[in-house]
């Protein structure tokens, strides 16, 4: 609806300019074809930029919700691992015996033919439901304990710890780079009316220094960008798997191995597409110099004093391109212009980056406080969104 209103306003503006041109009130060229073509192209580019920026804004909300939490949950889950299947099975057996004793105690009250009170009937029904759940857990735990995949994963436990440490270091690198970039915008940008555009890089971050250097050797910068995008995808999937798919405070679906509804998979794909779309601005936030100008340099005159001749001479010195560079020597990339077509989107992305940092810190605290996961997480009837009649990988 917003896009439709925007296009209608652009159409009215174009019709108004056309009327002025026909009346000769505006100094347009005599040939109408170039003007109409350029206006149509500009309007189409603005409409396309507005549409993609709107979807990118939705992707930013998904990244704050899922990617920020997944960046802390994924490495910590790899480091902590899961609980032992044998130990869980022992605990589950003790719970079954306890529930059976409660059921026998309640049923013993009706041995003489007296009907059970309503309170005991409700309790008996709850204990029977609990017993069915525990027996279902017993079957799954027995299957996993005897599975060759469990033994194989146990042998790879040191490798998982190494990967977890690597992922948490990468997450800290991204968070530090994003914090320095946002702090630079807060201190040295032109303000909210310009979308927090930086006039020169005042606070350098690791990725902003690394990517222009890698650009000089093809295709090292593309390889690093691909690694960054794949990292965001993996962490987003980890966040979605841990949190689930929500509509405000209502949980719609859970992502479980072999127990996920097709609708949940469609939602998962849509969320990942929006997050990947937001990755273009995330890369700009991590490395603004690379996205704006790449490895371009321009020459400035520098006065150098020679002791032998006692005079000054101008000497051209290369300088890294920034927003103060002359337009004829430094060319801004199309990606940067496309991302900053509308200042209010850039301002929303700026505040969204601060929310992303806050969500990561909250997720890191929550992940550190949580214990180890169960090896059969998602099997309980209150933790699954499918029935026992539907196929599952465990039933196979």
């Amino acid at each position: 609806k917003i896009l439709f209103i925007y296009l209608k306003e652009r159409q009215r503006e174009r019709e108004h300019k056309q009327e002025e041109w026909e009346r000769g009130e505006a100094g347009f060229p005599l040939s109408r074809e170039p003007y109409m073509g350029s206006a149509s192209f500009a309007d189409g580019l603005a409409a396309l930029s507005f549409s993609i920026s709107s979807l990118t804004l939705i992707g930013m909300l998904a990244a704050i919700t899922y990617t920020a939490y997944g960046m802390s949950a994924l490495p910590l889950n790899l480091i902590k691992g899961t609980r032992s299947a044998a130990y869980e099975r022992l605990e589950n057996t003790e719970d079954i015996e306890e529930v059976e004793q409660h059921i026998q105690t309640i049923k013993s009250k009706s041995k003489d033919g007296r009907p059970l009170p309503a309170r005991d009937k409700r309790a008996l029904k709850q204990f029977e439901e609990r017993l069915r759940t525990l027996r279902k857990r017993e079957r799954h735990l027995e299957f996993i304990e005897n599975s060759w995949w469990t033994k194989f994963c146990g042998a790879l436990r040191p490798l998982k710890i190494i990967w977890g440490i690597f992922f948490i270091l990468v997450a800290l690198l991204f968070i530090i780079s994003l914090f320095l970039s946002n702090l630079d915008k807060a201190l040295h940008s032109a303000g909210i009316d310009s979308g927090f555009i930086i006039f020169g890089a005042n606070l350098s971050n690791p990725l902003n220094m690394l990517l222009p250097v890698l650009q000089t050797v093809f295709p090292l910068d593309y390889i690093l960008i691909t690694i960054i995008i794949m990292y965001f995808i993996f962490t987003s999937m980890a966040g979605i798997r841990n949190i689930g798919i929500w509509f405000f405070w209502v949980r719609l679906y859970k992502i479980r191995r072999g127990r996920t509804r097709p609708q949940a998979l469609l939602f998962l794909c849509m969320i990942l597409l929006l997050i990947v779309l937001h990755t273009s601005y995330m890369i700009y936030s991590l490395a603004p110099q690379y996205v704006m100008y790449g490895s371009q340099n321009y020459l400035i005159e520098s006065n150098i004093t020679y002791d032998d001749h006692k005079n000054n001479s101008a000497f051209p010195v290369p300088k890294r391109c920034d927003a103060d560079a002359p337009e004829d020597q430094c060319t801004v990339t199309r990606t940067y212009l496309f991302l900053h077509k509308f200042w209010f989107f850039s301002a929303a992305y700026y505040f969204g980056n601060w929310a992303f940092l806050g969500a990561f810190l909250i997720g890191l605290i929550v992940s550190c406080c949580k214990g180890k996961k169960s090896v059969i997480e998602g099997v309980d009837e209150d933790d699954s969104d499918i029935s026992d009649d539907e196929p599952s990988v465990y039933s196979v």
Side-chain angles (χ1 to χ4, degrees):
K1 185 177 180 180
I2 297 175
L3 178 61
F4 176 76
I5 295 174
Y6 171 79
L7 292 176
K8 292 292 289 182
E9 292 295 331
R10 297 293 295 175
Q11 179 68 24
R12 291 174 185 173
E13 182 181 354
R14 186 164 60 248
E15 291 176 355
H16 178 68
K17 288 183 178 180
Q18 183 178 358
E19 291 176 359
E20 289 183 347
W21 182 85
E22 291 175 351
R23 291 196 305 265
E25 298 178 359
F28 292 107
L30 296 177
S31 176
R32 184 182 303 183
E33 305 300 330
Y35 165 70
M36 294 300 294
S38 61
S40 300
F41 178 78
D43 292 343
L45 182 62
L48 181 62
S49 176
F50 186 87
S51 303
I52 295 181
S53 298
S54 301
L55 294 176
T56 305
L57 190 63
I58 301 175
M60 181 191 70
L61 300 178
I64 294 172
T65 305
Y66 297 112
T67 310
Y69 177 70
M71 289 175 64
S72 60
L74 176 62
L76 291 179
N77 287 338
L78 289 174
I79 294 173
K80 291 188 294 186
T82 57
R83 301 178 63 189
S84 172
Y87 182 74
E88 283 197 63
R89 189 178 177 187
L90 179 61
E91 287 184 341
N92 191 77
T93 303
E94 295 177 354
D95 293 339
I96 290 176
E97 293 176 355
E98 183 180 354
V99 172
E100 287 178 345
Q101 289 178 1
H102 285 294
I103 292 175
Q104 291 297 329
T105 302
I106 296 176
K107 287 183 177 180
S108 63
K109 297 179 181 180
S110 62
K111 284 184 178 180
D112 54 356
R114 290 181 302 174
L116 289 173
R119 180 179 178 182
D120 290 339
K121 288 183 179 179
R122 288 194 299 269
L124 179 61
K125 184 177 180 180
Q126 292 176 358
F127 281 126
E128 289 176 347
E129 291 290 337
R130 178 63 177 165
L131 183 61
R132 281 196 293 268
T133 301
L134 290 174
R135 286 176 176 169
K136 183 173 64 173
R137 285 175 56 89
E138 179 72 18
R139 294 193 301 269
H140 295 322
L141 286 170
E142 182 181 2
F143 172 79
I144 290 182
E145 186 179 4
N146 300 325
S147 174
W148 63 268
W149 177 253
T150 305
K151 299 179 176 62
F152 179 73
C153 292
L156 295 179
R157 183 81 185 102
L159 186 61
K160 288 184 177 181
I161 295 176
I162 295 174
W163 276 109
I165 296 174
F166 171 75
F167 280 143
I168 196 65
L169 292 178
V170 173
L172 292 177
L173 174 63
F174 286 165
I175 291 301
I176 291 173
S177 299
L178 186 61
F179 174 76
L180 291 176
S181 177
N182 254 32
L183 184 61
D184 194 9
K185 291 181 181 180
L187 297 177
H188 307 101
S189 67
I192 189 173
D193 294 338
S194 64
F196 294 96
I197 297 178
I198 299 179
F199 292 96
N202 300 280
L203 298 177
S204 299
N205 62 72
L207 286 177
N208 195 30
M209 295 185 295
L210 181 60
L211 278 171
V213 174
L214 294 180
Q215 192 183 23
T216 58
V217 181
F218 180 83
L220 294 182
D221 57 332
Y222 293 111
I223 293 175
L224 181 57
I225 290 177
T226 304
I227 293 174
I228 293 174
I229 294 175
M230 295 303 297
Y231 175 79
F232 282 140
I233 291 176
F234 287 142
T235 53
S236 300
M237 293 181 65
I240 295 173
R241 188 179 185 276
N242 284 274
I243 298 176
I245 299 175
W246 293 70
F247 181 75
F248 292 101
W249 58 86
V250 179
R251 171 173 286 174
L252 299 180
Y253 303 106
K254 281 194 170 186
I255 307 299
R256 294 293 180 262
R257 185 181 63 182
R259 303 177 62 85
T260 306
R261 286 181 177 271
Q263 297 91 332
L265 294 177
L266 291 176
F267 272 101
L268 173 64
C269 295
M270 181 187 68
I271 292 173
L272 289 178
L273 287 175
L274 293 174
I275 290 176
V276 170
L277 190 61
H278 174 66
T279 306
S280 58
Y281 189 84
M282 183 63 71
I283 294 176
Y284 164 72
S285 301
L286 295 172
Q289 173 67 33
Y290 173 79
V291 175
M292 287 181 63
Y293 297 102
S295 59
Q296 298 181 74
N297 294 318
Y298 70 100
L299 298 177
I300 58 174
E301 298 293 335
S302 177
N303 293 326
I304 301 178
T305 303
Y306 295 96
D307 296 335
D308 298 338
H309 303 281
K310 303 296 182 181
N311 58 356
N312 297 334
S313 60
F315 186 79
V317 178
K319 182 182 178 182
R320 185 63 57 88
C321 288
D322 52 23
D324 295 329
E327 296 182 359
D328 57 341
Q329 297 189 39
C330 293
T331 304
V332 180
T333 60
R334 302 275 180 164
T335 303
Y336 176 81
L337 295 176
F338 198 79
L339 290 174
H340 292 79
K341 190 71 175 177
F342 302 95
W343 66 268
F344 46 85
F345 282 119
S346 300
Y349 297 150
Y350 167 78
F351 292 110
N353 286 339
W354 287 116
F356 186 90
L357 294 173
F360 172 80
L361 294 177
I362 295 174
L364 184 63
I365 296 173
V366 172
S367 300
C368 291
C369 296
K370 290 177 65 176
K372 292 183 178 181
K373 284 187 174 183
S374 172
V375 291
I376 55 170
E377 184 182 8
V379 172
D380 296 343
E381 66 173 357
D382 60 345
D383 195 35
S384 176
D385 52 14
I386 68 175
S387 63
D388 292 337
D389 297 333
E390 297 185 37
S392 169
V393 69
Y394 295 111
S395 61
V396 177

